[in-house]
């Protein structure tokens, strides 16, 4: 029994006509619960402890828990018991001291907001353990209170699963090269387009982009039309291989934004290309 609370409560009991507890937990439970989820749960836990003590005719400890339940019901932040206020067996102090440190780490670290019900159970379980440990004659009750504390602390101390790294999916790229002044596909081009269509299906892609280019030989308007024809040739083959036409976006660049910068009029094989890019 808490030494300070014992003095107050025993004094009240001594001056009372009845030997029963002075504070009725059931009456307190009928009053509105506080808006704070932690205090609401803490009040309920303390009132449950009060009823358990009253059932054993321990009116004094019953009133101590009922008082704490009433304070929490009123919105007062009630701290867990201080071990120095109790007459505890010396052998029990190390475990209880460690337990209180763990509890305070959680309460001060945001558990009352993140896991209010578990935090309330941990605090009430700790206070119950302290009270039963002081009496030290009901090992089953000591073990039950300690288990209540440990079960709640296991929930509070459980580490959230590490977030899974988000895989960065890089676009898969295929390049189809064309002869000079041509939009006709050749043997190797068909193989590359077939690979691109297969990759589209295997990756379950939702987007496929074509960027069609020409080198910088020839007039700009002519090269615009030539790159458009190259894009159309590749698109038609992809559709033939099962890629939905509405999944394909084709951009004809002509001789603008060439992959390999050159002077105007230069024939460059690497710029006569349609680049296929796939992404998830």
């Amino acid at each position: 029994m808490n030494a300070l609370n014992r003095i107050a409560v025993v004094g009240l009991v001594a001056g009372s006509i009845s030997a029963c507890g002075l504070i009725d937990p059931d009456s307190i439970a009928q009053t509105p619960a506080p808006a704070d989820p932690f205090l609401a749960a803490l009040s309920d836990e303390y009132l449950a402890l009060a009823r358990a003590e009253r059932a054993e005719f321990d009116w004094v400890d019953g009133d101590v828990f009922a008082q704490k339940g009433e304070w929490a019901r009123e919105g007062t932040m009630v701290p867990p018991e201080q071990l120095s206020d109790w007459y505890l067996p010396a052998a029990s102090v190390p475990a209880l001291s460690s337990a209180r440190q763990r509890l305070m780490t959680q309460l001060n670290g945001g558990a009352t907001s993140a896991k209010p019900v578990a935090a309330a159970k941990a605090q009430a379980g700790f206070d119950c353990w302290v009270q039963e440990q002081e009496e030290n004659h009901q090992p089953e009750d000591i073990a039950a209170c300690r288990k209540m504390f440990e079960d709640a602390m296991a929930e509070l101390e459980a580490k959230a699963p590490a977030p899974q790294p988000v895989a960065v999916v890089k676009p898969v790229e295929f390049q189809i090269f064309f002869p000079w002044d041509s939009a006709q596909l050749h043997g190797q081009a068909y193989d590359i387009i077939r690979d691109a269509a297969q990759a589209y299906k295997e990756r379950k892609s939702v987007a496929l982009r074509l960027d069609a280019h020409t080198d910088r030989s020839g007039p700009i308007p002519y090269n615009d039309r030539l790159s458009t024809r190259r894009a159309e040739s590749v698109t038609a083959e992809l559709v033939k291989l099962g890629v939905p036409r509405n999944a394909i976006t084709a951009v004809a660049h002509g001789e603008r934004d060439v992959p390999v910068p050159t002077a105007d009029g230069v024939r460059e094989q690497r710029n006569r290309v349609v680049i296929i890019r796939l992404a998830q």
Side-chain angles (χ1 to χ4, degrees):
M1 171 63 217
N2 179 298
L4 300 180
N5 285 333
R6 179 191 288 106
I7 295 172
V9 175
V10 170
L12 289 171
V13 172
S16 173
I17 296 175
S18 171
C20 296
L22 301 175
I23 307 174
D24 182 10
D26 293 328
S27 296
I28 297 170
Q30 298 304 312
T31 62
D36 186 300
F38 169 69
L39 290 179
L42 187 62
S43 176
D44 289 342
E45 293 294 341
Y46 277 135
L47 295 180
L49 293 178
R51 294 186 191 97
E53 291 304 311
R54 287 162 65 94
E56 295 180 349
F57 306 105
D58 186 345
W59 309 114
V60 176
D61 284 330
D63 276 357
V64 170
F65 288 131
Q67 180 65 82
K68 297 187 79 168
E70 184 174 29
W71 285 334
R73 207 79 173 180
E74 294 170 349
T76 301
M77 193 62 69
V78 185
E81 291 295 330
Q82 291 284 356
L83 299 187
S84 58
D85 293 337
W86 293 77
Y87 302 111
L88 295 165
S92 70
V93 172
L96 286 167
S97 296
S98 174
R100 194 178 194 281
Q101 289 176 0
R102 290 167 58 202
L103 176 61
M104 294 309 298
T105 295
Q106 293 299 320
L107 296 181
N108 294 332
T112 57
S113 298
K115 297 181 179 179
V117 174
K121 285 185 178 294
Q123 178 167 327
F126 174 78
D127 284 3
C128 175
W129 179 9
V130 171
Q131 179 263 325
E132 292 293 344
Q133 189 69 75
E134 185 195 57
E135 292 180 351
N136 204 30
H137 63 81
Q138 294 175 300
E140 297 85 0
D141 289 353
I142 296 172
C145 293
R146 183 170 186 172
K147 184 177 187 304
M148 177 181 175
F149 167 79
E150 292 292 354
D151 288 349
M153 287 299 298
E155 181 176 348
L156 296 180
E157 294 174 336
K159 293 183 179 180
Q164 295 298 315
V166 178
V168 178
V169 180
K170 296 182 178 180
V172 175
E173 185 174 296
F174 300 86
Q175 296 186 356
I176 299 95
F177 294 97
F178 290 82
W180 181 76
D181 193 25
S182 172
Q184 297 298 313
L185 299 174
H186 53 82
Q188 186 178 11
Y190 288 108
D191 294 337
I192 296 171
I193 297 172
R194 187 179 302 108
D195 291 342
Q198 184 64 29
Y200 171 87
K201 296 171 186 176
E202 290 176 351
R203 290 164 57 86
K204 299 181 180 178
S205 298
V206 295
L208 187 151
R209 177 186 169 108
L210 308 183
D211 289 282
H213 301 272
T214 69
D215 62 26
R216 299 195 65 195
S217 64
I220 290 177
Y222 180 84
N223 284 335
D224 288 342
R225 294 191 298 272
L226 179 58
S227 65
T228 298
R229 297 203 314 274
R230 287 173 176 170
E232 290 171 347
S233 296
V234 175
T235 298
E237 187 63 21
L238 287 168
V239 171
K240 187 188 301 183
L241 293 170
V243 178
R245 185 177 291 276
N246 61 9
I248 302 172
T249 300
V251 180
H253 297 272
E255 65 177 69
R256 303 172 188 84
D257 302 321
V258 291
V260 180
T262 68
D264 188 31
V266 173
R267 296 185 182 187
E268 171 56 61
Q269 172 65 57
R270 291 172 293 175
N271 289 337
R272 300 194 292 270
V273 63
V274 173
I275 304 173
I276 304 175
R277 294 183 173 92
L278 289 78
Q280 292 294 90

